[in-house]
Amino acid sequence: LLIFPMTSYAAESGDDVLHYALLIGDSYTAKLEGRGLEEKFNLNIIAYPGITSKGLKERLQTYSEEQQPSKVIVLCGINDLILSENEAVSVDGEATLLKEIQERYNVPVYVQLLFPITELLTIAKPNLSNEKIAEYNKQLTELCYQNGYFMIDTRDQFIGEDGYLKHTEDGLHIEDQDQYIRNIVYTVAEHEREIRRMIRD
């Protein structure tokens, strides 16, 4: 934990954990654009619907920063699964992206677990299933543990008792963006409170 600049935590207060953050991702993150987050928290969003981890890495390399972020929050990988020609699940693409992020910014990196899908969507997208998503999340969690990224689960209120996605119209994307934003704030704040506790101890 101490490899990260301690100043990144010093300015945090209350629920203001999104101040000067950089959000990176695919359509899940893109849906957060235009909701006033950029102005309210002075944050930036780099997100493209349908993009893979490899595509995000390429876009990031050409991105000109407006400011040094306080932290980076990432959600991607679902399109890696959808577009993969291999049956085996791999997080190699996201691993390369996260390494690029860490080397570029040297700030805390928060990585979100993938959301499940609905049962009906597995028919429309044969490469995608909740079993594959669970395996991806398992590998991603191990990747974060090995490299010092912070794994966060922002899926609260979005998974039914049957394990399938709820609050969705298309089986893939969530519709309640306000709840999603609250989940991001809560999970990041919980991590940062724990970090401050560890520093004090």
Side-chain angles (χ1 to χ4, degrees):
L1 295 177
L2 296 180
I3 63 173
F4 298 120
M6 301 315 301
T7 53
S8 63
Y9 301 106
E12 305 292 1
S13 62
D15 290 333
D16 297 339
V17 295
L18 293 186
H19 276 294
Y20 300 103
L22 173 60
L23 277 58
I24 295 177
D26 49 32
S27 52
Y28 262 71
T29 304
K31 283 177 172 286
L32 298 179
E33 294 179 315
R35 302 182 63 86
L37 297 179
E38 296 94 330
E39 296 80 11
K40 181 177 180 180
F41 296 109
N42 295 300
L43 59 78
N44 290 315
I45 297 176
I46 303 175
Y48 305 92
I51 201 165
T52 62
S53 300
K54 180 181 178 182
L56 273 171
K57 179 179 180 291
E58 293 171 351
R59 295 291 184 97
L60 187 62
Q61 288 174 330
T62 62
Y63 175 71
S64 178
E65 291 86 1
E66 297 179 16
Q67 63 193 19
Q68 169 69 8
S70 61
K71 61 181 65 69
V72 181
I73 303 171
V74 183
L75 176 58
C76 64
I78 197 72
N79 294 306
D80 297 38
L81 291 175
I82 293 173
L83 299 175
S84 175
E85 297 179 355
N86 299 319
E87 183 65 25
V89 174
S90 171
V91 296
D92 289 351
E94 188 158 354
T96 303
L97 169 65
L98 293 174
K99 182 179 179 182
E100 171 75 16
I101 291 170
Q102 187 178 54
E103 292 177 350
R104 185 183 184 104
Y105 298 110
N106 191 32
V107 296
V109 179
Y110 290 86
V111 183
Q112 301 177 62
L113 291 171
L114 294 188
F115 286 66
I117 59 174
T118 60
E119 186 175 14
L120 186 61
L121 192 66
T122 61
I123 300 173
K125 297 185 181 296
N127 277 5
L128 200 56
S129 68
N130 282 346
E131 288 73 24
K132 281 190 172 183
I133 291 172
E135 175 59 26
Y136 190 96
N137 283 339
K138 179 181 177 182
Q139 292 185 28
L140 193 61
T141 300
E142 182 63 23
L143 174 70
C144 290
Y145 177 78
Q146 293 176 350
N147 292 275
Y149 313 129
F150 298 124
M151 172 60 68
I152 55 175
D153 188 348
T154 57
R155 305 173 301 171
D156 185 47
Q157 306 295 320
F158 291 108
I159 303 178
E161 293 182 1
D162 57 2
Y164 290 107
L165 186 67
K166 62 179 184 177
H167 302 308
T168 176
E169 291 185 357
D170 62 3
L172 178 63
H173 300 97
I174 55 176
E175 295 301 320
D176 190 347
Q177 301 304 315
D178 291 336
Q179 179 63 49
Y180 179 42
I181 293 168
R182 287 194 294 270
N183 289 356
I184 294 174
V185 170
Y186 176 79
T187 52
V188 173
E190 283 290 293
H191 269 267
E192 300 203 346
R193 278 193 288 270
E194 178 63 16
I195 290 168
R196 287 194 291 272
R197 185 193 66 77
M198 293 172 62
I199 293 172
R200 289 194 302 268
D201 294 345

PDB file of all heavy atoms in Angstrom, residues 30-46:
ATOM      1  N   ALA A  30     -19.477   4.792 -19.499  1.00  0.00           N
ATOM      2  CA  ALA A  30     -19.934   5.823 -20.437  1.00  0.00           C
ATOM      3  C   ALA A  30     -21.316   6.343 -20.054  1.00  0.00           C
ATOM      4  O   ALA A  30     -21.632   7.518 -20.294  1.00  0.00           O
ATOM      5  CB  ALA A  30     -19.955   5.267 -21.858  1.00  0.00           C
ATOM      6  N   LYS A  31     -22.140   5.495 -19.462  1.00  0.00           N
ATOM      7  CA  LYS A  31     -23.471   5.915 -19.041  1.00  0.00           C
ATOM      8  C   LYS A  31     -23.428   6.938 -17.900  1.00  0.00           C
ATOM      9  O   LYS A  31     -24.440   7.573 -17.589  1.00  0.00           O
ATOM     10  CB  LYS A  31     -24.301   4.701 -18.613  1.00  0.00           C
ATOM     11  CG  LYS A  31     -24.839   3.878 -19.774  1.00  0.00           C
ATOM     12  CD  LYS A  31     -25.583   2.657 -19.254  1.00  0.00           C
ATOM     13  CE  LYS A  31     -26.298   1.930 -20.383  1.00  0.00           C
ATOM     14  NZ  LYS A  31     -27.493   2.656 -20.849  1.00  0.00           N
ATOM     15  N   LEU A  32     -22.275   7.105 -17.269  1.00  0.00           N
ATOM     16  CA  LEU A  32     -22.134   8.087 -16.190  1.00  0.00           C
ATOM     17  C   LEU A  32     -21.818   9.479 -16.728  1.00  0.00           C
ATOM     18  O   LEU A  32     -21.865  10.460 -15.981  1.00  0.00           O
ATOM     19  CB  LEU A  32     -21.033   7.652 -15.225  1.00  0.00           C
ATOM     20  CG  LEU A  32     -21.257   6.319 -14.502  1.00  0.00           C
ATOM     21  CD1 LEU A  32     -20.078   6.014 -13.590  1.00  0.00           C
ATOM     22  CD2 LEU A  32     -22.557   6.334 -13.708  1.00  0.00           C
ATOM     23  N   GLU A  33     -21.474   9.553 -18.008  1.00  0.00           N
ATOM     24  CA  GLU A  33     -21.174  10.854 -18.602  1.00  0.00           C
ATOM     25  C   GLU A  33     -22.448  11.687 -18.717  1.00  0.00           C
ATOM     26  O   GLU A  33     -23.543  11.169 -18.922  1.00  0.00           O
ATOM     27  CB  GLU A  33     -20.542  10.666 -19.984  1.00  0.00           C
ATOM     28  CG  GLU A  33     -19.178  10.007 -19.937  1.00  0.00           C
ATOM     29  CD  GLU A  33     -18.580   9.818 -21.311  1.00  0.00           C
ATOM     30  OE1 GLU A  33     -19.316   9.363 -22.213  1.00  0.00           O
ATOM     31  OE2 GLU A  33     -17.394  10.104 -21.492  1.00  0.00           O
ATOM     32  N   GLY A  34     -22.312  12.993 -18.581  1.00  0.00           N
ATOM     33  CA  GLY A  34     -23.436  13.896 -18.734  1.00  0.00           C
ATOM     34  C   GLY A  34     -24.380  13.928 -17.549  1.00  0.00           C
ATOM     35  O   GLY A  34     -25.479  14.484 -17.647  1.00  0.00           O
ATOM     36  N   ARG A  35     -23.959  13.363 -16.420  1.00  0.00           N
ATOM     37  CA  ARG A  35     -24.799  13.361 -15.223  1.00  0.00           C
ATOM     38  C   ARG A  35     -24.293  14.364 -14.184  1.00  0.00           C
ATOM     39  O   ARG A  35     -24.719  14.337 -13.034  1.00  0.00           O
ATOM     40  CB  ARG A  35     -24.868  11.956 -14.619  1.00  0.00           C
ATOM     41  CG  ARG A  35     -25.412  10.906 -15.583  1.00  0.00           C
ATOM     42  CD  ARG A  35     -25.503   9.540 -14.922  1.00  0.00           C
ATOM     43  NE  ARG A  35     -26.430   9.545 -13.804  1.00  0.00           N
ATOM     44  CZ  ARG A  35     -27.739   9.356 -13.920  1.00  0.00           C
ATOM     45  NH1 ARG A  35     -28.278   9.177 -15.118  1.00  0.00           N
ATOM     46  NH2 ARG A  35     -28.522   9.361 -12.856  1.00  0.00           N
ATOM     47  N   GLY A  36     -23.383  15.224 -14.585  1.00  0.00           N
ATOM     48  CA  GLY A  36     -22.874  16.267 -13.703  1.00  0.00           C
ATOM     49  C   GLY A  36     -21.735  15.849 -12.804  1.00  0.00           C
ATOM     50  O   GLY A  36     -21.270  16.644 -11.982  1.00  0.00           O
ATOM     51  N   LEU A  37     -21.261  14.605 -12.951  1.00  0.00           N
ATOM     52  CA  LEU A  37     -20.172  14.140 -12.086  1.00  0.00           C
ATOM     53  C   LEU A  37     -18.875  14.884 -12.356  1.00  0.00           C
ATOM     54  O   LEU A  37     -18.119  15.188 -11.427  1.00  0.00           O
ATOM     55  CB  LEU A  37     -19.948  12.635 -12.290  1.00  0.00           C
ATOM     56  CG  LEU A  37     -21.094  11.700 -11.919  1.00  0.00           C
ATOM     57  CD1 LEU A  37     -20.710  10.253 -12.218  1.00  0.00           C
ATOM     58  CD2 LEU A  37     -21.464  11.863 -10.458  1.00  0.00           C
ATOM     59  N   GLU A  38     -18.637  15.153 -13.637  1.00  0.00           N
ATOM     60  CA  GLU A  38     -17.389  15.838 -13.992  1.00  0.00           C
ATOM     61  C   GLU A  38     -17.296  17.198 -13.308  1.00  0.00           C
ATOM     62  O   GLU A  38     -16.235  17.565 -12.785  1.00  0.00           O
ATOM     63  CB  GLU A  38     -17.287  16.000 -15.511  1.00  0.00           C
ATOM     64  CG  GLU A  38     -17.206  14.691 -16.280  1.00  0.00           C
ATOM     65  CD  GLU A  38     -18.550  14.192 -16.767  1.00  0.00           C
ATOM     66  OE1 GLU A  38     -19.572  14.484 -16.097  1.00  0.00           O
ATOM     67  OE2 GLU A  38     -18.590  13.535 -17.813  1.00  0.00           O
ATOM     68  N   GLU A  39     -18.388  17.936 -13.314  1.00  0.00           N
ATOM     69  CA  GLU A  39     -18.395  19.266 -12.718  1.00  0.00           C
ATOM     70  C   GLU A  39     -18.415  19.186 -11.189  1.00  0.00           C
ATOM     71  O   GLU A  39     -17.709  19.937 -10.504  1.00  0.00           O
ATOM     72  CB  GLU A  39     -19.605  20.053 -13.197  1.00  0.00           C
ATOM     73  CG  GLU A  39     -19.631  20.332 -14.690  1.00  0.00           C
ATOM     74  CD  GLU A  39     -20.102  19.158 -15.516  1.00  0.00           C
ATOM     75  OE1 GLU A  39     -20.609  18.170 -14.937  1.00  0.00           O
ATOM     76  OE2 GLU A  39     -19.939  19.209 -16.757  1.00  0.00           O
ATOM     77  N   LYS A  40     -19.213  18.284 -10.648  1.00  0.00           N
ATOM     78  CA  LYS A  40     -19.364  18.185  -9.193  1.00  0.00           C
ATOM     79  C   LYS A  40     -18.078  17.750  -8.507  1.00  0.00           C
ATOM     80  O   LYS A  40     -17.718  18.268  -7.443  1.00  0.00           O
ATOM     81  CB  LYS A  40     -20.476  17.200  -8.851  1.00  0.00           C
ATOM     82  CG  LYS A  40     -20.728  17.040  -7.351  1.00  0.00           C
ATOM     83  CD  LYS A  40     -21.884  16.100  -7.088  1.00  0.00           C
ATOM     84  CE  LYS A  40     -22.127  15.941  -5.583  1.00  0.00           C
ATOM     85  NZ  LYS A  40     -23.266  15.007  -5.328  1.00  0.00           N
ATOM     86  N   PHE A  41     -17.368  16.791  -9.132  1.00  0.00           N
ATOM     87  CA  PHE A  41     -16.197  16.221  -8.477  1.00  0.00           C
ATOM     88  C   PHE A  41     -14.880  16.563  -9.176  1.00  0.00           C
ATOM     89  O   PHE A  41     -13.830  16.069  -8.782  1.00  0.00           O
ATOM     90  CB  PHE A  41     -16.327  14.697  -8.405  1.00  0.00           C
ATOM     91  CG  PHE A  41     -17.482  14.236  -7.569  1.00  0.00           C
ATOM     92  CD1 PHE A  41     -18.592  13.659  -8.167  1.00  0.00           C
ATOM     93  CD2 PHE A  41     -17.466  14.371  -6.187  1.00  0.00           C
ATOM     94  CE1 PHE A  41     -19.669  13.222  -7.401  1.00  0.00           C
ATOM     95  CE2 PHE A  41     -18.534  13.935  -5.422  1.00  0.00           C
ATOM     96  CZ  PHE A  41     -19.634  13.364  -6.024  1.00  0.00           C
ATOM     97  N   ASN A  42     -14.925  17.384 -10.224  1.00  0.00           N
ATOM     98  CA  ASN A  42     -13.711  17.719 -10.975  1.00  0.00           C
ATOM     99  C   ASN A  42     -13.007  16.460 -11.472  1.00  0.00           C
ATOM    100  O   ASN A  42     -11.781  16.362 -11.440  1.00  0.00           O
ATOM    101  CB  ASN A  42     -12.745  18.551 -10.117  1.00  0.00           C
ATOM    102  CG  ASN A  42     -13.298  19.904  -9.764  1.00  0.00           C
ATOM    103  OD1 ASN A  42     -13.596  20.710 -10.650  1.00  0.00           O
ATOM    104  ND2 ASN A  42     -13.464  20.169  -8.477  1.00  0.00           N
ATOM    105  N   LEU A  43     -13.805  15.498 -11.901  1.00  0.00           N
ATOM    106  CA  LEU A  43     -13.222  14.250 -12.372  1.00  0.00           C
ATOM    107  C   LEU A  43     -13.289  14.163 -13.891  1.00  0.00           C
ATOM    108  O   LEU A  43     -13.953  14.963 -14.552  1.00  0.00           O
ATOM    109  CB  LEU A  43     -13.927  13.045 -11.732  1.00  0.00           C
ATOM    110  CG  LEU A  43     -15.435  12.854 -11.934  1.00  0.00           C
ATOM    111  CD1 LEU A  43     -15.779  12.291 -13.305  1.00  0.00           C
ATOM    112  CD2 LEU A  43     -15.988  11.934 -10.845  1.00  0.00           C
ATOM    113  N   ASN A  44     -12.580  13.186 -14.435  1.00  0.00           N
ATOM    114  CA  ASN A  44     -12.588  12.929 -15.871  1.00  0.00           C
ATOM    115  C   ASN A  44     -13.071  11.507 -16.127  1.00  0.00           C
ATOM    116  O   ASN A  44     -12.884  10.615 -15.292  1.00  0.00           O
ATOM    117  CB  ASN A  44     -11.191  13.125 -16.471  1.00  0.00           C
ATOM    118  CG  ASN A  44     -10.775  14.579 -16.498  1.00  0.00           C
ATOM    119  OD1 ASN A  44     -11.551  15.454 -16.887  1.00  0.00           O
ATOM    120  ND2 ASN A  44      -9.549  14.855 -16.079  1.00  0.00           N
ATOM    121  N   ILE A  45     -13.688  11.300 -17.276  1.00  0.00           N
ATOM    122  CA  ILE A  45     -14.188   9.993 -17.669  1.00  0.00           C
ATOM    123  C   ILE A  45     -13.633   9.640 -19.043  1.00  0.00           C
ATOM    124  O   ILE A  45     -13.735  10.422 -19.987  1.00  0.00           O
ATOM    125  CB  ILE A  45     -15.728   9.969 -17.709  1.00  0.00           C
ATOM    126  CG1 ILE A  45     -16.307  10.215 -16.311  1.00  0.00           C
ATOM    127  CG2 ILE A  45     -16.234   8.641 -18.265  1.00  0.00           C
ATOM    128  CD1 ILE A  45     -17.831  10.312 -16.274  1.00  0.00           C
ATOM    129  N   ILE A  46     -13.030   8.453 -19.137  1.00  0.00           N
ATOM    130  CA  ILE A  46     -12.592   7.906 -20.420  1.00  0.00           C
ATOM    131  C   ILE A  46     -13.368   6.613 -20.615  1.00  0.00           C
ATOM    132  O   ILE A  46     -13.076   5.607 -19.957  1.00  0.00           O
ATOM    133  CB  ILE A  46     -11.080   7.626 -20.444  1.00  0.00           C
ATOM    134  CG1 ILE A  46     -10.272   8.888 -20.122  1.00  0.00           C
ATOM    135  CG2 ILE A  46     -10.661   7.063 -21.792  1.00  0.00           C
ATOM    136  CD1 ILE A  46      -8.780   8.649 -20.021  1.00  0.00           C
TER     137      ILE A  46
END
